[in-house]
Amino acid sequence: MSAASDSRSSAETKARILLAAQTVFAEHGYSHAGLREIARQAQVAPSLLLKYFGTKARLFEEALIAAIIPLQHFQSDRPQLGEAIVASVLDPGSRMVAPAMIALALGDPESRAVTVRVVQERIVGPMADWLDGDEGLASAINLLAMTTGFAIFHRNMDLGLEPRTRQDAARLMARALQAMADG
């Protein structure tokens, strides 16, 4: 086997582990997520998790970073930011596990520390810089909080809402997010 195919195989294995980790962390939370379960879902030996990531905390961190939708995805059209965020949350084809991973990580001190750092570095800080202005940081924090709550509700709670009610909720959320982005 060539070095290039070894590298490709390694990258593919690591990607499978990260996807499995995202699923397990989003369903069970950090403290109840087992490395054996992640390895089983990734179809790899448990020893590979430690080989590639070293610790459960590092695996969680890399899985969370990989789960975050890049900010650039939402920055292309500022006047449509609210609609873009809501559309992304409601798109059944998009893999949205970061909100659940974030929420379920807060009960464990180790994963909470990782989550706070990653959210600050990868979401809040860049969003505040992009929004600019006196209230950029406050707006970024509130955008994240509202989006996380909206995503958790619409991705994890099925109340049997009528399509019209879902559309109304989406429209109102898009307007609220947009107002925050507009300052």
Side-chain angles (χ1 to χ4, degrees), residues 35-176:
L35 294 179
R36 284 190 180 100
E37 174 62 15
I38 294 168
R40 188 187 66 70
Q41 284 198 26
Q43 299 178 337
V44 299
S47 59
L48 283 180
L49 276 65
L50 297 177
K51 174 186 175 189
Y52 288 120
F53 302 98
T55 65
K56 182 179 176 181
R58 183 70 183 152
L59 172 59
F60 175 76
E61 179 177 352
E62 289 201 34
L64 180 57
I65 289 169
I68 294 171
I69 296 172
L71 189 58
Q72 297 83 352
H73 176 79
F74 301 111
Q75 291 177 332
S76 60
D77 190 6
R78 188 168 177 161
Q80 301 302 314
L81 178 68
E83 288 180 18
I85 291 172
V86 168
S88 183
V89 169
L90 297 179
D91 177 4
S94 76
R95 189 165 197 282
M96 182 151 307
V97 294
M101 288 178 69
I102 290 168
L104 292 174
L106 300 178
D108 176 86
E110 184 174 37
S111 60
R112 177 181 163 72
V114 168
T115 300
V116 167
R117 183 174 40 77
V118 168
V119 164
Q120 175 58 37
E121 291 172 0
R122 303 288 177 137
I123 301 174
V124 173
M127 180 66 84
D129 291 344
W130 180 67
L131 291 171
D132 205 15
D134 294 338
E135 296 180 339
L137 179 58
S139 294
I141 290 166
N142 285 331
L143 281 164
L144 172 66
M146 290 176 64
T147 300
T148 300
F150 184 76
I152 288 170
F153 180 86
H154 286 280
R155 288 293 183 118
N156 302 93
M157 297 176 66
D158 181 14
L159 300 181
L161 299 177
E162 295 292 326
R164 173 66 186 209
T165 303
R166 285 189 188 280
Q167 291 169 352
D168 289 346
R171 182 178 38 76
L172 291 172
M173 178 57 77
R175 273 200 329 233

